Amino acid sequence: MCVIIKDALLGSDPQTRPHFTPAPLKGQGSDSEGRRSLALLLVTRCSRLPAWSPLSDRMKRRLLLVSNSTLHGGGYLEHCQQHVSGFFGQQVKRILFVPYALHNCDSYTKTARDKLKTLGYEVDSVHEAADPVEAVRKAEGIFIGGGNTFRLLKALYDHNLVTEIKKRVLQDGVPYMGSSAGSNVATISINTTNDMPIVYPPTFSAIGLVPFNINPHYLDPDPNSRHMGETREQRIIQYHEELDTPSVLGLREGSMLLVEGNKATLLGSTKARLFQRGKPTTEHDPGSDLSFLLTDAQ
């Protein structure tokens, strides 16, 4: 119902929705402003907004969704470099890097370029391209790095890349790797990011390559802590107090999810914690088959 109302008010494609600043619900100057404010509330409260793709498209997807790019005691992508090499393989020669999650895109690109070169890959950065959309259309592989998820998603919409990336990955089979924020935007929404909303994307709906959400850098409660704020687990449970909210996979640092068609496998050195609305949380070891998360109804 939320999707139907929202589409009637704003249109069904998030890529073409107007960017606007919502007016207060009381004392609206026009009916149009009131409708837009109501639509914004629906957009932020309804998690299943991205249109889900046909099964035939989903069979082509290949995703490597990493919790973190740097693990304590190691260098950039060091903890997952074997998985990265195995994921992109020898057929991919050049990887399109998306550095929008950090302010200094040049410096971020250099970090990614230097590391991936040691693994045998050349790197093009989307922020260096004259036409970002065309760069995505020509990409052999895509890697979206971490940083601030709100900044990242806003930039993807600003550059009209959300629909194009989804098409390349699901329809053309282009391998997609995300780290932290880059893993967040691969999911159905960014509602379960850890980041502050430093900028305002037009919607929390993300690329929608999988029908669930991820919480990267998942932290377990510390029984000895004197911190009185909510734990990560409490915040995810609060999210599931809302209706129609998808499962949330808490990826601890050191873990990652490999998705190949309709098969999902947990990789890495740490367990993942799964939150499903109305169900007890569950723990999953590296090597676990999490393919059930890829069904439309979990």
Side-chain angles (χ1 to χ4, degrees), residues 90-116:
Q90 297 181 353
Q91 292 185 335
V92 172
K93 305 298 182 184
R94 306 189 72 89
I95 296 173
L96 182 67
F97 182 57
V98 180
Y100 293 145
L102 291 186
H103 178 70
N104 191 333
C105 291
D106 290 336
S107 175
Y108 198 9
T109 296
K110 184 180 186 305
T111 298
R113 182 173 280 146
D114 290 348
K115 179 58 183 182
L116 290 172

